[in-house]
């Protein structure tokens, strides 16, 4: 069982907005540690999508946005496109475990 | 442009030691932490541990007793050893570079991944 909790799947029609939640505890997100988001297409290495809760690396479309509040974080995808169909993972640091932790991943399906 | 290239044995028998190496091309290993992450087939990502150029390491407590991460600055490489492997260690293993403030950092640069299968 992952330390960070994500929904197994979300879906939406092209053009719609979807959100993925990432719920942690007082030893990770709630302790103030940043949340990162990664996108993983089938058969490829994860790609950094959001860092420091809400920052996008160069080249990541502004359709992707991140937010954080208390012990949870969210990734929003607006204007959903077929190419967004992938697995998405949140990641943070956990002070109780003294290590980095990931969510179990959320599969985004474009209907 | 910096990129990571990893290699190692892809098929192991139970109880053997997994060894993977990641070459850092275009960087001197400075100012970053260098990580190993794994992903069992059809499952999520698991952080294994990291190391800096001075050899300071940090391991996932669930794997700590079996993991050793080392660095060779002369070759700009870092390596992973996981001892006493079982079928549960079958996974794609990734090397990656951390960027940002320690404990608030992110994984921007990733290797291509190496599938390691443990089977008798």
């Amino acid at each position: 069982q992952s330390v960070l909790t994500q929904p197994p799947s979300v879906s939406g029609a092209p053009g719609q907005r979807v959100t993925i939640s990432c719920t942690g505890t007082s030893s990770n997100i709630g302790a103030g540690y940043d949340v990162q988001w990664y996108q993983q297409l089938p058969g490829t290495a994860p790609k950094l999508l959001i860092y420091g809760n809400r920052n996008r690396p160069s080249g990541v479309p502004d359709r992707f946005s991140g937010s954080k509040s208390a012990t949870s974080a969210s990734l929003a995808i607006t204007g959903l496109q077929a190419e967004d169909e992938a697995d998405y993972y949140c990641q943070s640091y956990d002070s109780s475990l003294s290590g980095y932790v990931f969510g179990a991943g959320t599969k985004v399906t474009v209907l | 442009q910096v990129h990571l290239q990893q290699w190692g044995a892809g098929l192991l028998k139970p109880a053997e030691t997994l060894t993977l190496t990641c070459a850092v091309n275009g960087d001197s290993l400075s100012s970053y932490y260098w990580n190993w992450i794994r992903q069992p087939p059809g499952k999520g990502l698991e952080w294994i541990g990291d190391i800096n150029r001075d050899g300071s390491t940090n391991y996932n407590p669930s794997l700590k007793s079996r993991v050793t991460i080392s660095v060779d600055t002369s070759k700009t490489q870092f390596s992973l050893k996981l001892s006493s492997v079982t079928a549960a260690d079958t996974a794609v293993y990734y090397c990656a570079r951390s960027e940002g403030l320690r404990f608030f950092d992110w994984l921007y640069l990733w290797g291509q991944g190496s599938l390691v299968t443990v089977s008798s």
Side-chain angles (χ1 to χ4, degrees), chain B residues 51-118:
Chain B
I51 191 168
N52 67 7
R53 66 170 289 129
D54 296 327
S56 176
T57 54
N58 190 26
Y59 298 136
N60 186 324
S62 68
L63 298 169
K64 190 173 184 176
S65 63
R66 298 192 292 130
V67 172
T68 301
I69 298 176
S70 58
V71 65
D72 185 335
T73 55
S74 65
K75 295 182 179 179
T76 60
Q77 295 175 356
F78 62 106
S79 297
L80 168 70
K81 288 186 183 297
L82 180 65
S83 64
S84 305
V85 297
T86 69
D89 295 311
T90 294
V92 175
Y93 287 75
Y94 295 99
C95 58
R97 186 179 82 178
S98 293
E99 299 180 23
L101 188 63
R102 186 68 171 146
F103 307 136
F104 293 81
D105 41 357
W106 53 89
L107 302 163
Y108 181 70
L109 194 62
W110 293 70
Q112 79 275 20
S114 298
L115 174 61
V116 177
T117 302
V118 180

Side-chain angles (χ1 to χ4, degrees), chain A residues 32-34 36 38 40 44-46 48 51-52 57-58 89 91 93 97-100 102-104, chain B residues 35 37 39 43-47 50 58-61 94 102-108 110-112:
Chain A
Y33 293 105
D34 285 348
Q36 279 62 242
Y38 302 86
Q40 187 177 34
T44 68
L48 181 67
Y51 67 96
S58 174
Y89 295 90
Q91 172 255 313
Y93 179 81
L97 299 174
S98 297
Y100 296 87
F102 288 93
Chain B
N35 297 257
I37 298 103
Q39 184 172 36
K43 297 187 178 181
L45 301 166
E46 180 181 34
W47 178 76
D50 62 22
N58 190 26
Y59 298 136
N60 186 324
Y94 295 99
R102 186 68 171 146
F103 307 136
F104 293 81
D105 41 357
W106 53 89
L107 302 163
Y108 181 70
W110 293 70
Q112 79 275 20

Side-chain angles (χ1 to χ4, degrees), chain B residues 8-13 16 115-120:
Chain B
L11 180 61
L12 296 173
K13 290 182 168 51
E16 292 185 332
L115 174 61
V116 177
T117 302
V118 180
S119 174
S120 56

Side-chain angles (χ1 to χ4, degrees), chain B residues 20-32:
Chain B
L20 294 172
T21 299
C22 184
V24 181
N25 299 309
D27 191 288
S28 62
L29 295 176
S30 61
S31 304
Y32 300 108

Side-chain angles (χ1 to χ4, degrees), chain A residues 1 7 15 17 19 48 53 57 76 89 94 100 105 110-111:
Chain A
Q1 191 169 357
R17 179 179 187 269
T19 61
L48 181 67
N53 305 316
Y89 295 90
D94 191 287
Y100 296 87
V110 181
L111 301 172

Side-chain angles (χ1 to χ4, degrees), chain A residues 3-61:
Chain A
V3 174
L4 305 179
T5 302
Q6 297 180 234
S9 63
V10 299
S11 61
Q16 284 190 331
R17 179 179 187 269
V18 297
T19 61
I20 302 170
S21 60
C22 175
T23 303
T25 66
S26 58
S27 62
N28 42 68
I29 300 175
Y33 293 105
D34 285 348
V35 177
Q36 279 62 242
W37 291 91
Y38 302 86
Q39 177 193 60
Q40 187 177 34
L41 299 172
T44 68
K47 169 190 172 183
L48 181 67
L49 211 57
I50 298 287
Y51 67 96
N53 305 316
R54 59 176 60 248
N55 303 296
R56 286 186 309 275
S58 174
V60 173

